[in-house]
């Protein structure tokens, strides 16, 4: 687990944020069938292009996006500046296939960047390397050397624009490198230029090659990495771009993913696909604001925490830590007045039900902590949190570290032997 304080100062904002908003938006939203409709349904590319050029998201209000994102508790936002369809959301000099030069008549990236920054969000830009319109991207340097060189330069120039014209960019999010390699892309030169333009930038790991980039980006899964990482997840069931009729994951499921990421020491980048007119889908806003209200009360258990897989509480919920504090995030409430928490060996100073601010009585008996006075009815519809302040960094005994499936099984044998002679014979 990467602990916040070993991260270079310029990147500390990232693990401290824990929660980012991913925004998949482009002319594909008009189809309402996800961000890849052009390719997946083999649409006529000329018709798609005509529709993209006619796209005019009249209700696009980046100030409202940013305001909503803040209220919902997000600390940064990442916008698709161009997806695999190649349509550019910003005002680029490299092509006319952009929002600014077509019916939209606006630089959608500028609005996003300015509004996000004004609202106090860190700014990330997603950029698809591949562009379905360009045969040379797929042919590559061996089959089409001249075409490939032009595509590679086009990509370099676009990235350079995005990092030159919009002030500080905190995170750059590459995607769609297939089938090209890091070498073919001359990615090392590109990255060097990116760091020259934006010395503090974080660059993700999807630029070809193994283990490159500053952050890992597990997709549709929450797997800890030995460096900064962020799990990107849809808030629906499958699609990133707007899709009519898609099912939405409920707020508790979304919050569960955020808490699991924090527990494992990483971030959640939660996606929304705005409608073609520019509005955020109401079903998303409702869920996001539910989580925002929860974060208003319980945010200290998430933001700026280190992971916290400290004790056997794992079957009840998630744990996070910050200095001397252990937070227990309850995924479900069992209506019992006392919680029996095993394995914590650090002396406890204070226990609080963070959800209500109520101080709780506790008894610590060796490796067993009893927390009393819990309300029968869950104090929140989402996840109640108990805050345990210790005299030092919360630590578990061997049992808490090795659990059921690790370490010397002799430990379990000793425990089983404690049973002694009982009337229940074993043979
Ligand atoms: C996958 C999808 C792409 C999406 C990305 C987000 O690569 O193909 O459409 O943008 O995930 O991580």
């Amino acid at each position: 687990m990467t602990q916040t304080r070993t991260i270079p100062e310029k990147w500390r904002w990232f693990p401290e944020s824990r929660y980012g908003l991913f925004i998949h938006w482009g002319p594909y939203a008009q189809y309402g069938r996800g961000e890849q409709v052009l390719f997946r349904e083999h649409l006529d590319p000329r018709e798609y292009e005509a529709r993209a050029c006619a796209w005019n998201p009249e209700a696009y209000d980046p100030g409202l996006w940013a305001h909503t994102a803040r209220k919902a508790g997000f600390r940064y936002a990442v916008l698709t500046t161009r997806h695999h369809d190649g349509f550019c959301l910003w005002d680029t000099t490299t092509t006319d296939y952009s929002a600014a030069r077509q019916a939209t008549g606006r630089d959608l990236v500028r609005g996003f960047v300015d509004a996000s920054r004004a609202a106090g969000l860190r700014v990330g830009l997603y950029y698809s390397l591949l562009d379905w319109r360009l045969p040379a991207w797929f042919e590559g340097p061996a089959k089409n050397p001249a075409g490939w060189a032009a595509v590679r330069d086009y990509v370099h120039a676009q990235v350079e624009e995005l990092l030159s014209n919009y002030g500080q960019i905190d995170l750059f999010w590459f995607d769609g490198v297939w089938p090209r390699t890091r070498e073919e892309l001359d990615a090392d030169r590109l990255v060097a230029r990116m760091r020259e333009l934006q010395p503090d930038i974080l660059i993700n790991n999807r630029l070809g090659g193994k283990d490159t980039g500053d952050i890992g980006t597990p997709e549709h899964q929450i797997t800890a990495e030995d460096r900064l990482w962020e799990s990107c997840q849809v808030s629906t069931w499958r699609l990133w771009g707007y899709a009519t009729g898609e099912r939405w994951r409920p707020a508790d499921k979304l919050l569960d993913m955020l808490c699991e990421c924090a527990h494992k020491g990483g971030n959640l980048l939660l996606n929304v696909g705005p409608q073609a007119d520019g509005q955020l889908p109401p079903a998303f806003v409702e869920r996001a604001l539910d989580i925002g209200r929860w974060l208003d009360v319980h945010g200290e258990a998430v933001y700026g925490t280190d992971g916290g897989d400290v004790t056997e509480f794992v079957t009840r919920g998630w744990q996070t830590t910050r200095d001397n504090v252990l937070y227990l995030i309850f995924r479900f409430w069992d209506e019992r007045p006392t919680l029996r928490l095993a394995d914590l060996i650090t002396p406890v100073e204070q226990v609080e039900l963070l959800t209500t601010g109520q101080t709780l009585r506790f008894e610590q008996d060796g490796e067993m902590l009893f927390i009393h006075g819990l309300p029968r009815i869950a104090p929140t519809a989402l996840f109640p949190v108990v805050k345990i302040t210790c005299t030092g960094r919360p630590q578990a005994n061997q049992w808490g570290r090795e659990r059921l499936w690790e370490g010397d099984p002799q430990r379990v044998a000793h425990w089983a032997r404690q049973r002694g002679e009982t009337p229940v014979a074993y043979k």
Side-chain angles (χ1 to χ4, degrees):
M1 181 187 315
T2 319
Q3 297 213 327
T4 308
R5 62 194 158 285
T6 61
I7 310 295
E9 182 63 34
K10 62 179 182 179
W11 290 345
R12 289 272 289 266
W13 69 269
F14 184 79
E16 276 163 14
S17 297
R18 284 288 175 250
Y19 193 28
L21 176 64
F22 209 177
I23 306 173
H24 273 72
W25 195 47
Y28 42 80
Q30 297 175 104
Y31 292 83
R33 304 206 289 276
E35 76 288 0
Q36 299 191 0
V37 61
L38 169 60
F39 185 81
R40 303 265 185 208
E41 297 185 20
H42 308 186
L43 298 183
D44 178 335
R46 279 164 304 245
E47 274 172 31
Y48 184 92
E49 198 162 298
R51 215 165 153 189
C53 291
W55 180 46
N56 188 10
E58 276 165 355
Y60 173 54
D61 179 352
L64 185 58
W65 280 13
H67 173 75
T68 308
R70 281 299 296 195
K71 264 186 89 170
F74 295 103
R75 292 285 170 94
Y76 61 106
V78 180
L79 172 69
T80 49
T81 60
R82 128 175 164 168
H83 206 263
H84 309 338
D85 61 1
F87 186 82
C88 300
L89 264 51
W90 77 101
D91 188 8
T92 173
T93 58
T94 59
T95 175
D96 287 340
Y97 197 45
S98 75
R101 300 199 177 194
Q102 299 300 331
T104 305
R106 278 202 273 176
D107 184 329
L108 301 173
V109 172
R110 168 125 12 240
F112 163 77
V113 170
D114 291 350
S116 297
R117 207 175 288 123
L121 293 162
R122 293 280 183 158
V123 175
L125 301 181
Y126 165 108
Y127 179 84
S128 165
L129 292 156
L130 77 78
D131 179 337
W132 283 323
R133 298 175 313 143
L134 308 179
W137 170 268
F138 302 96
E139 287 161 344
K143 291 203 174 66
N144 183 352
W148 166 252
V151 170
R152 186 202 52 210
D153 293 351
Y154 178 66
V155 163
H156 282 227
Q158 292 199 331
V159 173
E160 177 142 2
E161 269 186 352
L162 287 167
L163 296 187
S164 304
N165 300 341
Y166 299 90
Q168 186 180 324
I169 301 301
D170 300 294
L171 171 60
F172 205 85
W173 223 98
F174 285 111
D175 191 28
V177 70
W178 182 87
R180 303 275 63 93
T181 66
R182 201 175 169 85
E183 292 69 34
E184 289 168 333
L185 273 165
D186 206 356
D188 291 341
R189 182 166 63 86
L190 178 59
V191 166
R193 182 68 186 132
M194 292 171 75
R195 298 207 192 278
E196 225 170 80
L197 293 167
Q198 301 273 348
D200 293 347
I201 201 162
L202 274 167
I203 302 174
N204 80 339
N205 62 335
R206 299 192 183 183
L207 196 45
K210 275 218 165 83
D211 297 325
T212 57
D214 307 320
I215 63 164
T217 56
E219 180 172 322
H220 298 304
Q221 56 179 3
I222 301 175
T223 38
E225 295 189 15
D226 213 5
R227 56 168 165 179
L228 292 173
W229 60 273
E230 163 197 77
S231 166
C232 51
Q233 298 272 354
V234 288
S235 47
T236 52
W237 277 18
R238 176 61 179 85
L239 290 159
W240 302 86
Y242 178 68
T244 48
E246 243 278 51
R247 290 182 193 275
W248 294 89
R249 293 173 172 177
D252 57 357
K253 175 63 193 161
L254 303 177
L255 179 60
D256 199 44
M257 295 193 293
L258 174 59
C259 295
E260 183 174 354
C261 288
H263 168 104
K264 292 180 175 171
N267 291 12
L268 174 67
L269 184 64
L270 183 66
N271 182 72
V272 64
Q275 298 166 188
D277 66 0
Q279 297 191 69
L280 298 173
F284 174 78
V285 174
E286 190 190 312
R287 289 158 174 78
L289 293 181
D290 261 4
I291 294 171
R293 280 185 287 274
W294 183 89
L295 283 165
D296 285 344
V297 177
H298 305 94
E300 64 170 87
V302 173
Y303 303 122
T305 53
D306 289 323
D309 190 10
V310 178
T311 77
E312 287 273 30
F313 186 72
V314 284
T315 49
R316 285 297 301 280
W318 307 112
Q319 302 164 74
T320 57
T321 58
R322 181 210 309 277
D323 301 324
N324 294 351
V325 173
L326 172 67
Y327 295 97
L328 305 180
I329 304 173
F330 290 72
R331 303 172 83 196
F332 66 96
W333 198 248
D334 68 5
E335 304 191 344
R336 292 187 177 83
T338 296
L339 174 79
R340 178 187 169 103
L341 182 76
D343 303 329
L344 184 66
I345 49 172
T346 320
V348 172
E349 270 177 353
Q350 208 196 348
V351 180
E352 180 192 332
L353 180 58
L354 189 61
T355 312
T356 60
Q358 184 195 343
T359 303
L360 297 172
R361 198 165 63 76
F362 68 91
E363 293 165 85
Q364 195 168 20
D365 183 8
E367 301 166 345
M368 206 58 70
L369 179 69
F370 296 93
I371 299 174
H372 300 293
L374 296 166
R376 231 179 87 75
I377 306 296
T380 163
L382 288 170
F383 305 156
V385 174
V386 165
K387 174 179 180 179
I388 303 174
T389 308
C390 304
T391 57
R393 263 196 99 68
Q395 272 168 352
N397 59 11
Q398 193 186 7
W399 192 288
R401 291 193 307 273
E402 296 177 345
R403 313 275 165 90
L404 187 51
W405 312 114
E406 280 172 43
D408 183 352
Q410 196 58 33
R411 169 175 56 92
V412 188
H414 287 315
W415 174 70
R417 195 160 288 120
Q418 282 174 20
R419 184 177 67 105
E421 294 300 316
T422 73
V424 183
Y426 122 83
K427 159 84 182 69

